[in-house]
Each structure stands twice: as C-alpha cells, then as structure tokens.
Amino acid sequence: MTEISTLGYALLGMLAREPLSGYDLAQRLDLPVGQFWHARHSQIYPELKRLSRARLLTHEKVAQHDRPDKKVYALTDRARERLREWATAPVEAAGKRDELLLKVYSMWLADPEAAARLIRAHEAQHEAQLRAYRAHEANLHAHHAAQLRDPRSPWFATWATLKRGLGYEAEYVAWCRWLAESLESATSR
Amino acid sequence: MTEISTLGYALLGMLAREPLSGYDLAQRLDLPVGQFWHARHSQIYPELKRLSRARLLTHEKVAQHDRPDKKVYALTDRARERLREWATAPVEAAGKRDELLLKVYSMWLADPEAAARLIRAHEAQHEAQLRAYRAHEANLHAHHAAQLRDPRSPWFATWATLKRGLGYEAEYVAWCRWLAESLESATSR
DNA sequence: GGACGCATGTAATAGGTTACATGATTAC
DNA sequence: GTAATCATGTAACCTATTACATGCGTCC
C-alpha cells in the first residue's frame, strides 16, 4: 500500500468534494484564506503526479477556448477509501509554531511602545481574517443551512473547520488587545 | 551582518534569560510543554556552533563531578542587540498547519461515531495541556506577582506567551466539545 | 507591445525529523 | 551488568519555500 503524505491527503480531501485542476488546488491552498493547511503550486504539481502514478487520481485534459487548457483531477475509489480511513485515524497533536509568540517571548528587551505597535498590527490582521471568516459563515448559513446539521455532508465539515478558524482568530484578537493595552499603559506611566 | 534563523532567535531568546547548555535548550524546546516553538537536539547543536562562529554566543566548558561535563552558552552584547531589534520587527502572520483540522475537513466521508472518538481523544489532550498551563500560571503568580506588571521583565513576557497558550487550548477544547457533541447526537438518532 | 491572469512545470535551497553514534555517571 | 539520565554530535531523509522557466489568451 502506497504511503500518502499529509499534503497528499490535503489534495485528496479537496478532490473528494469536486474535481479540480492543479491550478485550482494551488489557489485554494495558497496563502490567502485557506484554514489550517497551505501549499504552493511547486509542491502541488509533483504531488499530483505521484498520486496519479499510485493510481489514486485520474485526470482528463480539458480544452478551453478562452484560456489555456488544463488537467482536471478526480479521485479513484481506492483513494476515497484511503481518505476515509485516514480521516479518523489517530494523529498526534500538532507542535504549534508561531514566530510572533517567539518575539513576544523576547519582547521584554525592547521598547514597550515599539512592541505595542507590532502587536496592534497583528491585531488588525487577525481582525480582518475574523471578518472574512464571519462573512464565509454567513454565506454558509444562507445557502446550505439544511446540510450544516448533517455530519455526512461536506458542508458540515467545512463549517466545522471554519468554526475552529473563527474561534482561533477571535481568541488571537482578544489576546493581542490584552497585550497591547498592557504595553501601552506601561508607556503612558 | 550575519543572517540569524528563526531557530537562532529562539535559542538567543532563551539564553538572554539565563546561560544554558545545548542539552538544557533541547529539553526546553523538545516536544513536552514548550509554547509556540520547538526543536530537536539534532537541530540545536549545529545552530549553537553557527551562532558561536558568528560571534553571537560564547561558551565555557563546565566540569561536573556527578555527571558528564557540559558547554554552557551565553549571549554576546551584539547578540542581545540583534535580538532586541528582531523582537519588534514586522513579521508575517504564520500560516497555521493542523493535521487534525485537515482530517475534520474530510470527516464527512467517515462514520460519525469513529470521528467523535478521534475528537474526544484530542479534547482530552488539549484539556491536559490546559491544566498544565493553568498550573504554570498559578506558579507565576505565586512567585513573581510583582514582575508580571512590568513589560521590561522576562516574567511578563513569559506570562504573555502563557496567556496565549491558555486561550489557544481553552478555545481548542471548547471546539472539540462542540464538534464531538454534534457528531454524537447524529449517531444516536 | 506589454501587463495580467491562467496554466504547468523544474531546480536550488532551507528547515526540520528520524536515525545513527558515542560516551560518562548513577542507581538498581 | 544493564538500564536510565546526562551530554554532544553527525548523516540521511523528507518537507516546504523561493526562484527559475515556459507558454496561451485577453485586455488596454
């Protein structure tokens, strides 16, 4: 049985919902508003080849009149089965990494005013992300309200990861505010 | 001016508080209860050499009677200055990665009961982490209450990162509970 | 003609994990 | 003696980022 990388499962997970091209996958997985995984096209194209060789994906060339042709990938039955097994298999809690927190750890060396500015900048970033997630959630409720209660629906899964994103960003913003206020009140005194 | 990697800053950040050996650093940065960064000894020892070559660290050999000798590293003034500048320099928000969330994204394919078990297991893990953080916080308040209000104190910085850890884990636990309950109520019906 | 978005790839490098290796000292 | 902790290192491998590279089609 062929090994499948985490990135592989990320791609299979998206293709299980709808067939997509490498470019489509790259757009969804690139920096913007993905949730808890990301990848660049330079990692995606070779991975699609590997998965195809392992007979986990099929692809068909789709000719387009208005833009370049593309390859649209779809799951095989084997892949869907592998994905289903993986989805509930035990996994270690991720070792989180956040460079901002590393900076905060050494921030006592620096000017509190400069520190507060950095934290305020991140507060704004996470607030923007939170607003985007909220808009996404409103959209989900508006168009797929019925499916959101069914754990067998992909919309439910989308909602579940989105809720985690909402909680994550809301907590991050609250923490930024607390920290920035602490730093600012120290400055004013 | 020599480039310093993020890992380098992690090591400098710890050494700015107290001189430590590679082994000490590895213990603090290894899997256990670090907060938002981790590394293995195989990454740490070579990095200590690099930082030493760049004259950012000094080390002295410390002979021990009861156990093997060790090298204890300390910051140079240049390193402390570099660390201080880095601490408030702009940084992009981290692209978060969490394999559990990736699984949740494809969980609609699987048996909701199996899914609920996986989520409950993570709930327990994050609860345990939360308890550990709470104990750490109580300890901080008991022994360093005065310094916790001073942004120029390393104890304040420790508290700030710890608070982020507390918020993160509390939110994670709450989300696990919500999701597990949703999955379980679907099963019982 | 040039910029931009679509579309697909490869190569070089950096960052990180796992495994391999060695040796001292203490406790059982 | 042998397992466990302290202590330091290297090598092989995998993952991920950045940069290089190409080409089509549309809009200005």
Side-chain angles (χ1 to χ4, degrees):
Chain A
M1 199 143 74
T2 337
E3 281 293 316
I4 303 179
S5 67
T6 308
L7 172 64
Y9 283 113
L11 300 178
L12 294 183
M14 268 174 282
L15 294 173
R17 290 156 176 245
E18 49 175 338
L20 294 167
S21 69
Y23 187 82
D24 296 330
L25 287 162
Q27 281 210 312
R28 285 165 170 73
L29 275 169
D30 235 38
L31 304 176
V33 194
Q35 252 108 280
F36 291 92
W37 209 263
H38 56 94
R40 306 287 167 88
H41 76 274
S42 61
Q43 212 187 345
I44 291 168
Y45 288 115
E47 185 67 23
L48 288 171
K49 275 198 179 169
R50 237 170 291 143
L51 292 168
S52 297
R53 266 202 307 275
R55 297 176 188 271
L56 294 160
L57 291 180
T58 57
H59 67 272
E60 67 176 318
K61 277 160 199 143
V62 175
Q64 300 181 115
H65 42 286
D66 54 333
R67 41 182 116 160
D69 299 353
K70 60 178 174 178
K71 294 188 203 169
V72 173
Y73 290 86
L75 290 207
T76 62
D77 291 342
R78 290 176 59 225
R80 186 170 289 260
E81 182 53 27
R82 293 287 298 275
L83 181 60
R84 194 181 62 192
E85 276 163 24
W86 170 82
T88 56
V91 61
E92 292 302 309
K96 33 189 193 303
R97 273 199 171 112
D98 185 338
E99 199 176 345
L100 181 67
L101 269 287
L102 201 56
K103 289 190 179 228
V104 170
Y105 187 74
S106 293
M107 210 162 251
W108 59 280
L109 288 164
D111 172 29
E113 217 169 324
R117 275 194 297 275
L118 178 63
I119 301 301
R120 287 292 184 197
H122 281 263
E123 182 192 327
Q125 268 181 58
H126 288 286
E127 239 170 10
Q129 187 65 75
L130 186 55
R131 275 194 300 274
Y133 285 162
R134 284 210 248 260
H136 190 176
E137 196 191 24
N139 198 55
L140 264 186
H141 273 101
H143 298 300
H144 308 281
Q147 291 100 312
L148 294 190
R149 257 92 207 176
D150 176 14
R152 299 271 189 181
S153 160
W155 296 110
F156 173 83
T158 295
W159 188 40
T161 57
L162 184 57
K163 281 203 74 135
R164 172 74 186 116
L166 282 160
Y168 177 88
E169 298 296 342
E171 203 289 318
Y172 213 127
V173 168
W175 174 81
C176 284
R177 283 199 184 128
W178 166 80
L179 180 53
E181 276 162 28
S182 300
L183 293 165
E184 284 160 4
S185 78
T187 305
S188 61
R189 270 190 264 113
Chain B
M1 200 144 72
T2 338
E3 281 294 314
I4 303 179
S5 66
T6 309
L7 172 64
Y9 284 113
L11 300 178
L12 294 182
M14 269 175 282
L15 294 172
R17 291 157 176 245
E18 50 174 339
L20 294 166
S21 68
Y23 186 83
D24 295 330
L25 288 162
Q27 281 210 312
R28 286 165 169 72
L29 276 169
D30 236 38
L31 303 177
V33 195
Q35 253 107 280
F36 291 91
W37 209 264
H38 56 95
R40 305 288 166 88
H41 78 273
S42 60
Q43 213 187 346
I44 292 168
Y45 287 115
E47 184 67 21
L48 288 172
K49 274 197 180 169
R50 239 171 290 144
L51 293 169
S52 296
R53 267 202 307 274
R55 298 177 188 269
L56 294 160
L57 292 181
T58 57
H59 66 272
E60 68 177 317
K61 277 160 199 141
V62 175
Q64 298 180 116
H65 41 287
D66 54 334
R67 42 183 116 160
D69 299 353
K70 61 177 173 179
K71 294 187 202 169
V72 173
Y73 290 85
L75 292 207
T76 62
D77 291 342
R78 290 176 59 225
R80 185 170 290 259
E81 183 52 29
R82 294 286 298 276
L83 180 61
R84 194 180 62 194
E85 276 163 24
W86 169 82
T88 56
V91 63
E92 292 302 308
K96 34 190 192 301
R97 269 195 176 118
D98 185 337
E99 199 177 343
L100 182 66
L101 269 288
L102 201 57
K103 288 187 180 230
V104 170
Y105 187 74
S106 292
M107 210 162 251
W108 58 281
L109 288 164
D111 173 29
E113 216 169 324
R117 275 195 296 276
L118 177 63
I119 301 302
R120 288 293 184 196
H122 281 263
E123 181 191 328
Q125 269 181 60
H126 288 286
E127 238 170 10
Q129 188 64 75
L130 186 55
R131 276 194 299 274
Y133 285 162
R134 284 211 247 260
H136 189 175
E137 195 191 25
N139 197 55
L140 264 186
H141 273 101
H143 298 300
H144 309 281
Q147 292 100 311
L148 294 190
R149 257 91 206 177
D150 175 16
R152 298 273 190 180
S153 159
W155 295 111
F156 173 83
T158 295
W159 188 41
T161 57
L162 183 56
K163 281 202 76 133
R164 172 76 185 117
L166 281 159
Y168 177 89
E169 297 296 342
E171 203 287 318
Y172 214 128
V173 168
W175 175 81
C176 283
R177 284 202 184 125
W178 166 80
L179 180 53
E181 276 162 28
S182 300
L183 293 165
E184 284 159 5
S185 78
T187 307
S188 60
R189 269 190 264 114

